[in-house]
Amino acid sequence: MASKERLIQLYQLQQENPDDPFVDYAIALENHKQGNTVLAIQLLSALISKYPHYLGAYYQYGQLLEIEGDNERALKAYDQGKALALKNGETRAAAELGSAIEMLME
């Protein structure tokens, strides 16, 4: 399936499931995959604002911010995600976010 078709399908799925954060997440990642990193960052930011409990978004958001050279906001995203992971007992996710923080601080 072509990338544009995949994105169209994801937007259709979003219309059918407007309250599913995974669909928003998938749209953001697909946009990044197609070279629209700035849009992907905006979409992940909106996702985190709307669904602050959606843990997977924090790591990807931080990664894309790093790609764009916004290390300060990336660090904040990782910190927020790590705090959420620890609060929810998600030790693996907390460790991954902690590693991202350490690598960014080096």
Side-chain angles (χ1 to χ4, degrees):
M1 178 186 315
S3 294
K4 288 190 182 218
E5 290 174 12
R6 189 170 322 132
L7 201 52
I8 289 168
Q9 285 185 336
L10 286 169
Y11 278 113
Q12 289 172 341
L13 190 59
Q14 184 183 47
Q15 288 179 343
E16 296 166 11
N17 303 287
D19 297 321
D20 185 349
F22 178 76
V23 177
D24 294 348
Y25 179 75
I27 289 170
L29 295 186
E30 186 61 33
N31 271 286
H32 169 61
K33 186 176 178 183
Q34 292 186 27
N36 300 320
T37 302
V38 173
L39 177 57
I41 288 170
Q42 293 168 349
L43 293 170
L44 286 171
S45 178
L47 170 64
I48 290 169
S49 292
K50 187 174 180 182
Y51 302 102
H53 64 279
Y54 196 77
L55 185 56
Y58 291 90
Y59 182 82
Q60 291 299 325
Y61 183 51
Q63 290 287 292
L64 297 184
L65 288 167
E66 278 193 70
I67 288 170
E68 290 297 307
D70 194 342
N71 291 348
E72 185 176 319
R73 285 178 52 207
L75 185 59
K76 183 177 177 183
Y78 293 144
D79 280 335
Q80 289 174 333
K82 183 178 176 184
L84 177 63
L86 290 171
K87 178 182 171 189
N88 293 338
E90 299 280 347
T91 55
R92 183 171 183 253
E96 289 175 358
L97 288 155
S99 293
I101 291 167
E102 288 176 20
M103 290 178 64
L104 187 57
M105 299 297 287
E106 290 179 355

